[in-house]
PDB file of all heavy atoms in Angstrom:
ATOM      1  N   ILE A   5      12.224  16.105 136.722  1.00 98.00           N
ATOM      2  CA  ILE A   5      11.461  17.352 136.619  1.00 98.00           C
ATOM      3  C   ILE A   5      12.382  18.426 136.042  1.00 98.00           C
ATOM      4  O   ILE A   5      13.491  18.651 136.555  1.00 98.00           O
ATOM      5  CB  ILE A   5      10.933  17.818 137.994  1.00 98.00           C
ATOM      6  CG1 ILE A   5       9.835  16.869 138.488  1.00 98.00           C
ATOM      7  CG2 ILE A   5      10.395  19.244 137.900  1.00 98.00           C
ATOM      8  CD1 ILE A   5       9.240  17.256 139.839  1.00 98.00           C
ATOM      9  N   ILE A   6      11.911  19.078 134.975  1.00 99.00           N
ATOM     10  CA  ILE A   6      12.619  20.245 134.445  1.00 99.00           C
ATOM     11  C   ILE A   6      11.741  21.449 134.759  1.00 99.00           C
ATOM     12  O   ILE A   6      10.614  21.539 134.273  1.00 99.00           O
ATOM     13  CB  ILE A   6      12.858  20.102 132.923  1.00 99.00           C
ATOM     14  CG1 ILE A   6      13.728  18.866 132.649  1.00 99.00           C
ATOM     15  CG2 ILE A   6      13.500  21.378 132.354  1.00 99.00           C
ATOM     16  CD1 ILE A   6      13.974  18.559 131.178  1.00 99.00           C
ATOM     17  N   THR A   7      12.222  22.345 135.596  1.00 99.00           N
ATOM     18  CA  THR A   7      11.414  23.532 135.912  1.00 99.00           C
ATOM     19  C   THR A   7      11.700  24.625 134.878  1.00 99.00           C
ATOM     20  O   THR A   7      12.814  24.713 134.351  1.00 99.00           O
ATOM     21  CB  THR A   7      11.714  24.088 137.325  1.00 99.00           C
ATOM     22  OG1 THR A   7      13.016  24.695 137.309  1.00 99.00           O
ATOM     23  CG2 THR A   7      11.661  23.008 138.398  1.00 99.00           C
ATOM     24  N   GLY A   8      10.672  25.426 134.585  1.00 98.00           N
ATOM     25  CA  GLY A   8      10.850  26.506 133.606  1.00 98.00           C
ATOM     26  C   GLY A   8      10.951  25.981 132.183  1.00 98.00           C
ATOM     27  O   GLY A   8      11.502  26.650 131.299  1.00 98.00           O
ATOM     28  N   GLY A   9      10.381  24.800 131.940  1.00 98.00           N
ATOM     29  CA  GLY A   9      10.506  24.153 130.627  1.00 98.00           C
ATOM     30  C   GLY A   9       9.722  24.843 129.521  1.00 98.00           C
ATOM     31  O   GLY A   9       9.932  24.531 128.347  1.00 98.00           O
ATOM     32  N   ALA A  10       8.835  25.763 129.888  1.00 97.00           N
ATOM     33  CA  ALA A  10       8.085  26.473 128.836  1.00 97.00           C
ATOM     34  C   ALA A  10       8.768  27.783 128.451  1.00 97.00           C
ATOM     35  O   ALA A  10       8.270  28.531 127.612  1.00 97.00           O
ATOM     36  CB  ALA A  10       6.655  26.749 129.304  1.00 97.00           C
ATOM     37  N   GLY A  11       9.907  28.068 129.076  1.00 98.00           N
ATOM     38  CA  GLY A  11      10.638  29.297 128.753  1.00 98.00           C
ATOM     39  C   GLY A  11      11.615  29.053 127.614  1.00 98.00           C
ATOM     40  O   GLY A  11      11.586  28.003 126.949  1.00 98.00           O
ATOM     41  N   PHE A  12      12.494  29.985 127.425  1.00 98.00           N
ATOM     42  CA  PHE A  12      13.440  29.944 126.295  1.00 98.00           C
ATOM     43  C   PHE A  12      14.397  28.738 126.406  1.00 98.00           C
ATOM     44  O   PHE A  12      14.283  27.759 125.654  1.00 98.00           O
ATOM     45  CB  PHE A  12      14.183  31.282 126.266  1.00 98.00           C
ATOM     46  CG  PHE A  12      15.403  31.348 125.406  1.00 98.00           C
ATOM     47  CD1 PHE A  12      15.410  30.848 124.116  1.00 98.00           C
ATOM     48  CD2 PHE A  12      16.572  31.955 125.890  1.00 98.00           C
ATOM     49  CE1 PHE A  12      16.549  30.928 123.319  1.00 98.00           C
ATOM     50  CE2 PHE A  12      17.706  32.046 125.108  1.00 98.00           C
ATOM     51  CZ  PHE A  12      17.696  31.526 123.822  1.00 98.00           C
ATOM     52  N   ILE A  13      15.297  28.770 127.360  1.00 98.00           N
ATOM     53  CA  ILE A  13      16.296  27.697 127.442  1.00 98.00           C
ATOM     54  C   ILE A  13      15.629  26.380 127.845  1.00 98.00           C
ATOM     55  O   ILE A  13      15.917  25.314 127.292  1.00 98.00           O
ATOM     56  CB  ILE A  13      17.419  28.063 128.448  1.00 98.00           C
ATOM     57  CG1 ILE A  13      18.079  29.388 128.048  1.00 98.00           C
ATOM     58  CG2 ILE A  13      18.466  26.952 128.510  1.00 98.00           C
ATOM     59  CD1 ILE A  13      19.056  29.941 129.080  1.00 98.00           C
ATOM     60  N   GLY A  14      14.685  26.486 128.812  1.00 98.00           N
ATOM     61  CA  GLY A  14      14.009  25.280 129.302  1.00 98.00           C
ATOM     62  C   GLY A  14      13.360  24.493 128.177  1.00 98.00           C
ATOM     63  O   GLY A  14      13.402  23.256 128.169  1.00 98.00           O
ATOM     64  N   SER A  15      12.759  25.180 127.210  1.00 98.00           N
ATOM     65  CA  SER A  15      12.070  24.446 126.136  1.00 98.00           C
ATOM     66  C   SER A  15      13.081  23.670 125.284  1.00 98.00           C
ATOM     67  O   SER A  15      12.781  22.568 124.816  1.00 98.00           O
ATOM     68  CB  SER A  15      11.225  25.385 125.274  1.00 98.00           C
ATOM     69  OG  SER A  15      12.037  26.325 124.603  1.00 98.00           O
ATOM     70  N   HIS A  16      14.268  24.207 125.122  1.00 98.00           N
ATOM     71  CA  HIS A  16      15.303  23.467 124.371  1.00 98.00           C
ATOM     72  C   HIS A  16      15.795  22.256 125.174  1.00 98.00           C
ATOM     73  O   HIS A  16      16.090  21.206 124.596  1.00 98.00           O
ATOM     74  CB  HIS A  16      16.478  24.387 124.027  1.00 98.00           C
ATOM     75  CG  HIS A  16      16.128  25.395 122.962  1.00 98.00           C
ATOM     76  ND1 HIS A  16      16.219  25.120 121.616  1.00 98.00           N
ATOM     77  CD2 HIS A  16      15.649  26.662 123.054  1.00 98.00           C
ATOM     78  CE1 HIS A  16      15.824  26.185 120.919  1.00 98.00           C
ATOM     79  NE2 HIS A  16      15.480  27.135 121.768  1.00 98.00           N
ATOM     80  N   VAL A  17      15.872  22.415 126.495  1.00 99.00           N
ATOM     81  CA  VAL A  17      16.327  21.298 127.329  1.00 99.00           C
ATOM     82  C   VAL A  17      15.255  20.198 127.339  1.00 99.00           C
ATOM     83  O   VAL A  17      15.557  19.009 127.176  1.00 99.00           O
ATOM     84  CB  VAL A  17      16.639  21.786 128.766  1.00 99.00           C
ATOM     85  CG1 VAL A  17      17.046  20.622 129.658  1.00 99.00           C
ATOM     86  CG2 VAL A  17      17.746  22.835 128.750  1.00 99.00           C
ATOM     87  N   VAL A  18      13.993  20.600 127.491  1.00 98.00           N
ATOM     88  CA  VAL A  18      12.896  19.613 127.473  1.00 98.00           C
ATOM     89  C   VAL A  18      12.908  18.861 126.148  1.00 98.00           C
ATOM     90  O   VAL A  18      12.866  17.623 126.105  1.00 98.00           O
ATOM     91  CB  VAL A  18      11.529  20.305 127.702  1.00 98.00           C
ATOM     92  CG1 VAL A  18      10.376  19.361 127.368  1.00 98.00           C
ATOM     93  CG2 VAL A  18      11.417  20.797 129.137  1.00 98.00           C
ATOM     94  N   ARG A  19      12.976  19.582 125.043  1.00 98.00           N
ATOM     95  CA  ARG A  19      12.954  18.941 123.708  1.00 98.00           C
ATOM     96  C   ARG A  19      14.112  17.935 123.579  1.00 98.00           C
ATOM     97  O   ARG A  19      13.922  16.808 123.136  1.00 98.00           O
ATOM     98  CB  ARG A  19      13.067  20.015 122.619  1.00 98.00           C
ATOM     99  CG  ARG A  19      13.132  19.440 121.196  1.00 98.00           C
ATOM    100  CD  ARG A  19      13.113  20.533 120.140  1.00 98.00           C
ATOM    101  NE  ARG A  19      11.887  21.308 120.218  1.00 98.00           N
ATOM    102  CZ  ARG A  19      11.778  22.511 120.770  1.00 98.00           C
ATOM    103  NH1 ARG A  19      12.828  23.118 121.286  1.00 98.00           N
ATOM    104  NH2 ARG A  19      10.629  23.130 120.823  1.00 98.00           N
ATOM    105  N   ILE A  30       9.848  12.731 131.470  1.00 98.00           N
ATOM    106  CA  ILE A  30      10.243  14.141 131.587  1.00 98.00           C
ATOM    107  C   ILE A  30       9.022  14.967 131.982  1.00 98.00           C
ATOM    108  O   ILE A  30       8.032  15.026 131.250  1.00 98.00           O
ATOM    109  CB  ILE A  30      10.816  14.665 130.241  1.00 98.00           C
ATOM    110  CG1 ILE A  30      12.015  13.822 129.789  1.00 98.00           C
ATOM    111  CG2 ILE A  30      11.192  16.145 130.350  1.00 98.00           C
ATOM    112  CD1 ILE A  30      13.190  13.780 130.751  1.00 98.00           C
ATOM    113  N   ILE A  31       9.106  15.576 133.149  1.00 98.00           N
ATOM    114  CA  ILE A  31       7.992  16.383 133.652  1.00 98.00           C
ATOM    115  C   ILE A  31       8.399  17.849 133.569  1.00 98.00           C
ATOM    116  O   ILE A  31       9.346  18.280 134.236  1.00 98.00           O
ATOM    117  CB  ILE A  31       7.647  15.995 135.101  1.00 98.00           C
ATOM    118  CG1 ILE A  31       7.288  14.504 135.152  1.00 98.00           C
ATOM    119  CG2 ILE A  31       6.503  16.844 135.648  1.00 98.00           C
ATOM    120  CD1 ILE A  31       7.888  13.793 136.322  1.00 98.00           C
ATOM    121  N   ASN A  32       7.689  18.576 132.736  1.00 98.00           N
ATOM    122  CA  ASN A  32       7.946  20.012 132.590  1.00 98.00           C
ATOM    123  C   ASN A  32       7.066  20.755 133.582  1.00 98.00           C
ATOM    124  O   ASN A  32       5.853  20.784 133.446  1.00 98.00           O
ATOM    125  CB  ASN A  32       7.621  20.418 131.140  1.00 98.00           C
ATOM    126  CG  ASN A  32       7.648  21.924 130.925  1.00 98.00           C
ATOM    127  OD1 ASN A  32       8.106  22.679 131.783  1.00 98.00           O
ATOM    128  ND2 ASN A  32       7.141  22.363 129.780  1.00 98.00           N
ATOM    129  N   LEU A  33       7.706  21.359 134.578  1.00 98.00           N
ATOM    130  CA  LEU A  33       6.958  22.094 135.613  1.00 98.00           C
ATOM    131  C   LEU A  33       7.126  23.590 135.368  1.00 98.00           C
ATOM    132  O   LEU A  33       8.252  24.111 135.413  1.00 98.00           O
ATOM    133  CB  LEU A  33       7.505  21.714 136.992  1.00 98.00           C
ATOM    134  CG  LEU A  33       6.806  22.276 138.227  1.00 98.00           C
ATOM    135  CD1 LEU A  33       7.192  21.451 139.437  1.00 98.00           C
ATOM    136  CD2 LEU A  33       7.154  23.741 138.487  1.00 98.00           C
ATOM    137  N   ASP A  34       6.034  24.273 135.098  1.00 98.00           N
ATOM    138  CA  ASP A  34       6.153  25.701 134.772  1.00 98.00           C
ATOM    139  C   ASP A  34       4.879  26.425 135.210  1.00 98.00           C
ATOM    140  O   ASP A  34       3.776  25.921 135.055  1.00 98.00           O
ATOM    141  CB  ASP A  34       6.350  25.856 133.255  1.00 98.00           C
ATOM    142  CG  ASP A  34       6.956  27.200 132.883  1.00 98.00           C
ATOM    143  OD1 ASP A  34       6.274  28.235 133.109  1.00 98.00           O
ATOM    144  OD2 ASP A  34       8.085  27.234 132.381  1.00 98.00           O
ATOM    145  N   LYS A  35       5.062  27.611 135.744  1.00 97.00           N
ATOM    146  CA  LYS A  35       3.914  28.421 136.184  1.00 97.00           C
ATOM    147  C   LYS A  35       3.224  29.109 135.009  1.00 97.00           C
ATOM    148  O   LYS A  35       2.113  29.592 135.125  1.00 97.00           O
ATOM    149  CB  LYS A  35       4.439  29.472 137.172  1.00 97.00           C
ATOM    150  CG  LYS A  35       3.386  30.372 137.769  1.00 97.00           C
ATOM    151  CD  LYS A  35       4.050  31.393 138.706  1.00 97.00           C
ATOM    152  CE  LYS A  35       3.050  32.409 139.218  1.00 97.00           C
ATOM    153  NZ  LYS A  35       3.688  33.412 140.078  1.00 97.00           N
ATOM    154  N   LEU A  36       3.909  29.171 133.885  1.00 96.00           N
ATOM    155  CA  LEU A  36       3.445  29.938 132.710  1.00 96.00           C
ATOM    156  C   LEU A  36       3.240  31.406 133.080  1.00 96.00           C
ATOM    157  O   LEU A  36       2.131  31.931 133.031  1.00 96.00           O
ATOM    158  CB  LEU A  36       2.175  29.335 132.099  1.00 96.00           C
ATOM    159  CG  LEU A  36       2.291  27.907 131.582  1.00 96.00           C
ATOM    160  CD1 LEU A  36       0.980  27.439 130.945  1.00 96.00           C
ATOM    161  CD2 LEU A  36       3.443  27.767 130.574  1.00 96.00           C
ATOM    162  N   ALA A  39       6.548  34.845 130.542  1.00 96.00           N
ATOM    163  CA  ALA A  39       7.676  34.316 129.756  1.00 96.00           C
ATOM    164  C   ALA A  39       7.489  32.851 129.361  1.00 96.00           C
ATOM    165  O   ALA A  39       8.234  32.341 128.543  1.00 96.00           O
ATOM    166  CB  ALA A  39       8.976  34.461 130.553  1.00 96.00           C
ATOM    167  N   GLY A  40       6.509  32.187 129.945  1.00 95.00           N
ATOM    168  CA  GLY A  40       6.300  30.767 129.650  1.00 95.00           C
ATOM    169  C   GLY A  40       5.314  30.615 128.506  1.00 95.00           C
ATOM    170  O   GLY A  40       4.260  31.248 128.502  1.00 95.00           O
ATOM    171  N   ASN A  41       5.644  29.770 127.537  1.00 95.00           N
ATOM    172  CA  ASN A  41       4.820  29.668 126.332  1.00 95.00           C
ATOM    173  C   ASN A  41       4.840  28.219 125.858  1.00 95.00           C
ATOM    174  O   ASN A  41       5.860  27.732 125.371  1.00 95.00           O
ATOM    175  CB  ASN A  41       5.433  30.604 125.269  1.00 95.00           C
ATOM    176  CG  ASN A  41       4.610  30.669 124.009  1.00 95.00           C
ATOM    177  OD1 ASN A  41       3.638  29.923 123.850  1.00 95.00           O
ATOM    178  ND2 ASN A  41       4.992  31.560 123.104  1.00 95.00           N
ATOM    179  N   LEU A  42       3.702  27.543 125.989  1.00 95.00           N
ATOM    180  CA  LEU A  42       3.667  26.119 125.608  1.00 95.00           C
ATOM    181  C   LEU A  42       3.775  25.919 124.100  1.00 95.00           C
ATOM    182  O   LEU A  42       4.059  24.812 123.654  1.00 95.00           O
ATOM    183  CB  LEU A  42       2.398  25.452 126.167  1.00 95.00           C
ATOM    184  CG  LEU A  42       2.431  25.233 127.688  1.00 95.00           C
ATOM    185  CD1 LEU A  42       1.118  24.629 128.177  1.00 95.00           C
ATOM    186  CD2 LEU A  42       3.600  24.330 128.094  1.00 95.00           C
ATOM    187  N   GLU A  43       3.593  26.999 123.353  1.00 94.00           N
ATOM    188  CA  GLU A  43       3.802  26.882 121.903  1.00 94.00           C
ATOM    189  C   GLU A  43       5.240  26.493 121.580  1.00 94.00           C
ATOM    190  O   GLU A  43       5.520  25.944 120.517  1.00 94.00           O
ATOM    191  CB  GLU A  43       3.512  28.228 121.224  1.00 94.00           C
ATOM    192  CG  GLU A  43       2.077  28.337 120.751  1.00 94.00           C
ATOM    193  CD  GLU A  43       1.897  29.554 119.871  1.00 94.00           C
ATOM    194  OE1 GLU A  43       2.514  29.632 118.802  1.00 94.00           O
ATOM    195  OE2 GLU A  43       1.150  30.451 120.293  1.00 94.00           O
ATOM    196  N   ASN A  44       6.143  26.803 122.505  1.00 96.00           N
ATOM    197  CA  ASN A  44       7.565  26.463 122.296  1.00 96.00           C
ATOM    198  C   ASN A  44       7.776  24.953 122.241  1.00 96.00           C
ATOM    199  O   ASN A  44       8.838  24.494 121.843  1.00 96.00           O
ATOM    200  CB  ASN A  44       8.428  27.022 123.443  1.00 96.00           C
ATOM    201  CG  ASN A  44       8.375  28.534 123.536  1.00 96.00           C
ATOM    202  OD1 ASN A  44       7.723  29.171 122.728  1.00 96.00           O
ATOM    203  ND2 ASN A  44       9.043  29.103 124.529  1.00 96.00           N
ATOM    204  N   LEU A  45       6.769  24.190 122.686  1.00 97.00           N
ATOM    205  CA  LEU A  45       6.962  22.736 122.815  1.00 97.00           C
ATOM    206  C   LEU A  45       5.933  21.924 122.038  1.00 97.00           C
ATOM    207  O   LEU A  45       5.725  20.749 122.339  1.00 97.00           O
ATOM    208  CB  LEU A  45       6.922  22.360 124.303  1.00 97.00           C
ATOM    209  CG  LEU A  45       8.160  22.793 125.079  1.00 97.00           C
ATOM    210  CD1 LEU A  45       7.911  22.730 126.579  1.00 97.00           C
ATOM    211  CD2 LEU A  45       9.360  21.916 124.705  1.00 97.00           C
ATOM    212  N   LYS A  46       5.290  22.531 121.069  1.00 96.00           N
ATOM    213  CA  LYS A  46       4.251  21.855 120.272  1.00 96.00           C
ATOM    214  C   LYS A  46       4.728  20.512 119.734  1.00 96.00           C
ATOM    215  O   LYS A  46       3.975  19.544 119.689  1.00 96.00           O
ATOM    216  CB  LYS A  46       3.848  22.744 119.081  1.00 96.00           C
ATOM    217  CG  LYS A  46       2.818  23.796 119.429  1.00 96.00           C
ATOM    218  CD  LYS A  46       1.431  23.375 118.904  1.00 96.00           C
ATOM    219  CE  LYS A  46       0.287  24.125 119.526  1.00 96.00           C
ATOM    220  NZ  LYS A  46      -0.228  23.597 120.763  1.00 96.00           N
ATOM    221  N   VAL A  48       6.708  18.325 120.935  1.00 98.00           N
ATOM    222  CA  VAL A  48       6.927  17.190 121.857  1.00 98.00           C
ATOM    223  C   VAL A  48       5.730  16.929 122.768  1.00 98.00           C
ATOM    224  O   VAL A  48       5.721  15.945 123.509  1.00 98.00           O
ATOM    225  CB  VAL A  48       8.202  17.366 122.746  1.00 98.00           C
ATOM    226  CG1 VAL A  48       9.452  17.411 121.906  1.00 98.00           C
ATOM    227  CG2 VAL A  48       8.106  18.566 123.654  1.00 98.00           C
ATOM    228  N   TYR A  54       6.420  12.489 128.036  1.00 98.00           N
ATOM    229  CA  TYR A  54       6.383  13.914 128.417  1.00 98.00           C
ATOM    230  C   TYR A  54       5.103  14.242 129.185  1.00 98.00           C
ATOM    231  O   TYR A  54       4.010  13.801 128.823  1.00 98.00           O
ATOM    232  CB  TYR A  54       6.430  14.771 127.150  1.00 98.00           C
ATOM    233  CG  TYR A  54       6.220  16.259 127.387  1.00 98.00           C
ATOM    234  CD1 TYR A  54       7.206  17.032 127.990  1.00 98.00           C
ATOM    235  CD2 TYR A  54       5.026  16.883 127.013  1.00 98.00           C
ATOM    236  CE1 TYR A  54       7.009  18.389 128.204  1.00 98.00           C
ATOM    237  CE2 TYR A  54       4.822  18.248 127.226  1.00 98.00           C
ATOM    238  CZ  TYR A  54       5.824  18.998 127.827  1.00 98.00           C
ATOM    239  OH  TYR A  54       5.631  20.344 128.050  1.00 98.00           O
ATOM    240  N   ARG A  55       5.246  15.000 130.263  1.00 98.00           N
ATOM    241  CA  ARG A  55       4.079  15.502 130.989  1.00 98.00           C
ATOM    242  C   ARG A  55       4.310  16.965 131.339  1.00 98.00           C
ATOM    243  O   ARG A  55       5.409  17.332 131.791  1.00 98.00           O
ATOM    244  CB  ARG A  55       3.896  14.689 132.279  1.00 98.00           C
ATOM    245  CG  ARG A  55       2.769  15.231 133.151  1.00 98.00           C
ATOM    246  CD  ARG A  55       2.604  14.431 134.452  1.00 98.00           C
ATOM    247  NE  ARG A  55       1.589  15.084 135.279  1.00 98.00           N
ATOM    248  CZ  ARG A  55       1.417  14.872 136.586  1.00 98.00           C
ATOM    249  NH1 ARG A  55       2.164  14.000 137.220  1.00 98.00           N
ATOM    250  NH2 ARG A  55       0.480  15.532 137.247  1.00 98.00           N
ATOM    251  N   PHE A  56       3.268  17.779 131.148  1.00 98.00           N
ATOM    252  CA  PHE A  56       3.353  19.174 131.586  1.00 98.00           C
ATOM    253  C   PHE A  56       2.538  19.358 132.860  1.00 98.00           C
ATOM    254  O   PHE A  56       1.412  18.886 132.950  1.00 98.00           O
ATOM    255  CB  PHE A  56       2.823  20.122 130.500  1.00 98.00           C
ATOM    256  CG  PHE A  56       2.708  21.541 131.006  1.00 98.00           C
ATOM    257  CD1 PHE A  56       3.865  22.262 131.285  1.00 98.00           C
ATOM    258  CD2 PHE A  56       1.472  22.114 131.272  1.00 98.00           C
ATOM    259  CE1 PHE A  56       3.787  23.564 131.798  1.00 98.00           C
ATOM    260  CE2 PHE A  56       1.386  23.416 131.786  1.00 98.00           C
ATOM    261  CZ  PHE A  56       2.550  24.133 132.047  1.00 98.00           C
ATOM    262  N   VAL A  57       3.117  20.059 133.828  1.00 98.00           N
ATOM    263  CA  VAL A  57       2.386  20.388 135.060  1.00 98.00           C
ATOM    264  C   VAL A  57       2.502  21.882 135.295  1.00 98.00           C
ATOM    265  O   VAL A  57       3.611  22.416 135.390  1.00 98.00           O
ATOM    266  CB  VAL A  57       2.997  19.646 136.286  1.00 98.00           C
ATOM    267  CG1 VAL A  57       2.284  20.049 137.566  1.00 98.00           C
ATOM    268  CG2 VAL A  57       2.952  18.149 136.090  1.00 98.00           C
ATOM    269  N   MET A  59       2.576  24.709 137.619  1.00 98.00           N
ATOM    270  CA  MET A  59       2.790  24.856 139.063  1.00 98.00           C
ATOM    271  C   MET A  59       3.786  25.980 139.329  1.00 98.00           C
ATOM    272  O   MET A  59       4.696  26.215 138.536  1.00 98.00           O
ATOM    273  CB  MET A  59       3.365  23.534 139.619  1.00 98.00           C
ATOM    274  CG  MET A  59       3.371  23.445 141.126  1.00 98.00           C
ATOM    275  SD  MET A  59       4.187  21.922 141.687  1.00 98.00           S
ATOM    276  CE  MET A  59       2.975  20.702 141.269  1.00 98.00           C
ATOM    277  N   ILE A  61       6.871  27.252 141.443  1.00 98.00           N
ATOM    278  CA  ILE A  61       7.936  26.594 142.219  1.00 98.00           C
ATOM    279  C   ILE A  61       7.896  26.982 143.694  1.00 98.00           C
ATOM    280  O   ILE A  61       8.520  26.326 144.523  1.00 98.00           O
ATOM    281  CB  ILE A  61       9.362  26.857 141.649  1.00 98.00           C
ATOM    282  CG1 ILE A  61       9.655  28.357 141.514  1.00 98.00           C
ATOM    283  CG2 ILE A  61       9.568  26.137 140.328  1.00 98.00           C
ATOM    284  CD1 ILE A  61      11.132  28.664 141.269  1.00 98.00           C
ATOM    285  N   ILE A  80      16.160  19.382 137.159  1.00 98.00           N
ATOM    286  CA  ILE A  80      16.973  20.369 136.427  1.00 98.00           C
ATOM    287  C   ILE A  80      16.200  21.674 136.545  1.00 98.00           C
ATOM    288  O   ILE A  80      15.091  21.807 136.020  1.00 98.00           O
ATOM    289  CB  ILE A  80      17.180  19.953 134.959  1.00 98.00           C
ATOM    290  CG1 ILE A  80      17.798  18.559 134.893  1.00 98.00           C
ATOM    291  CG2 ILE A  80      18.069  20.980 134.241  1.00 98.00           C
ATOM    292  CD1 ILE A  80      18.003  18.020 133.486  1.00 98.00           C
ATOM    293  N   HIS A  81      16.770  22.611 137.277  1.00 98.00           N
ATOM    294  CA  HIS A  81      16.009  23.782 137.713  1.00 98.00           C
ATOM    295  C   HIS A  81      16.366  25.025 136.891  1.00 98.00           C
ATOM    296  O   HIS A  81      17.426  25.626 137.086  1.00 98.00           O
ATOM    297  CB  HIS A  81      16.298  24.005 139.200  1.00 98.00           C
ATOM    298  CG  HIS A  81      15.673  25.243 139.758  1.00 98.00           C
ATOM    299  ND1 HIS A  81      14.440  25.712 139.370  1.00 98.00           N
ATOM    300  CD2 HIS A  81      16.127  26.116 140.707  1.00 98.00           C
ATOM    301  CE1 HIS A  81      14.169  26.824 140.034  1.00 98.00           C
ATOM    302  NE2 HIS A  81      15.172  27.092 140.838  1.00 98.00           N
ATOM    303  N   LEU A  82      15.445  25.384 135.992  1.00 99.00           N
ATOM    304  CA  LEU A  82      15.647  26.601 135.183  1.00 99.00           C
ATOM    305  C   LEU A  82      14.630  27.691 135.487  1.00 99.00           C
ATOM    306  O   LEU A  82      14.832  28.848 135.080  1.00 99.00           O
ATOM    307  CB  LEU A  82      15.554  26.286 133.686  1.00 99.00           C
ATOM    308  CG  LEU A  82      16.607  25.361 133.102  1.00 99.00           C
ATOM    309  CD1 LEU A  82      16.016  23.991 132.827  1.00 99.00           C
ATOM    310  CD2 LEU A  82      17.203  25.937 131.829  1.00 99.00           C
ATOM    311  N   ALA A  83      13.516  27.365 136.137  1.00 98.00           N
ATOM    312  CA  ALA A  83      12.459  28.367 136.342  1.00 98.00           C
ATOM    313  C   ALA A  83      13.025  29.564 137.103  1.00 98.00           C
ATOM    314  O   ALA A  83      13.672  29.411 138.136  1.00 98.00           O
ATOM    315  CB  ALA A  83      11.299  27.772 137.120  1.00 98.00           C
ATOM    316  N   ALA A  84      12.775  30.741 136.567  1.00 98.00           N
ATOM    317  CA  ALA A  84      13.255  31.962 137.222  1.00 98.00           C
ATOM    318  C   ALA A  84      12.632  33.159 136.528  1.00 98.00           C
ATOM    319  O   ALA A  84      12.152  33.062 135.401  1.00 98.00           O
ATOM    320  CB  ALA A  84      14.775  32.070 137.116  1.00 98.00           C
ATOM    321  N   TYR A 217      12.941  30.840 120.052  1.00 98.00           N
ATOM    322  CA  TYR A 217      12.022  30.817 121.208  1.00 98.00           C
ATOM    323  C   TYR A 217      12.435  31.725 122.358  1.00 98.00           C
ATOM    324  O   TYR A 217      11.974  31.542 123.479  1.00 98.00           O
ATOM    325  CB  TYR A 217      11.833  29.381 121.755  1.00 98.00           C
ATOM    326  CG  TYR A 217      11.265  28.402 120.776  1.00 98.00           C
ATOM    327  CD1 TYR A 217      12.036  27.326 120.291  1.00 98.00           C
ATOM    328  CD2 TYR A 217       9.954  28.513 120.320  1.00 98.00           C
ATOM    329  CE1 TYR A 217      11.511  26.411 119.391  1.00 98.00           C
ATOM    330  CE2 TYR A 217       9.423  27.594 119.426  1.00 98.00           C
ATOM    331  CZ  TYR A 217      10.208  26.552 118.963  1.00 98.00           C
ATOM    332  OH  TYR A 217       9.688  25.637 118.077  1.00 98.00           O
TER     333      TYR A 217
END
Side-chain angles (χ1 to χ4, degrees):
I5 290 181
I6 299 177
T7 71
F12 166 46
I13 303 172
S15 64
H16 288 274
V17 177
V18 167
R19 177 175 299 102
I30 302 300
I31 302 137
N32 171 11
L33 185 162
D34 200 295
K35 182 181 174 182
L36 299 182
N41 184 353
L42 287 177
E43 268 190 63
N44 298 358
L45 287 165
K46 277 256 163 274
V48 297
Y54 173 72
R55 175 181 175 197
F56 171 69
V57 177
M59 192 185 287
I61 55 167
I80 304 178
H81 175 36
L82 296 106
Y217 300 113

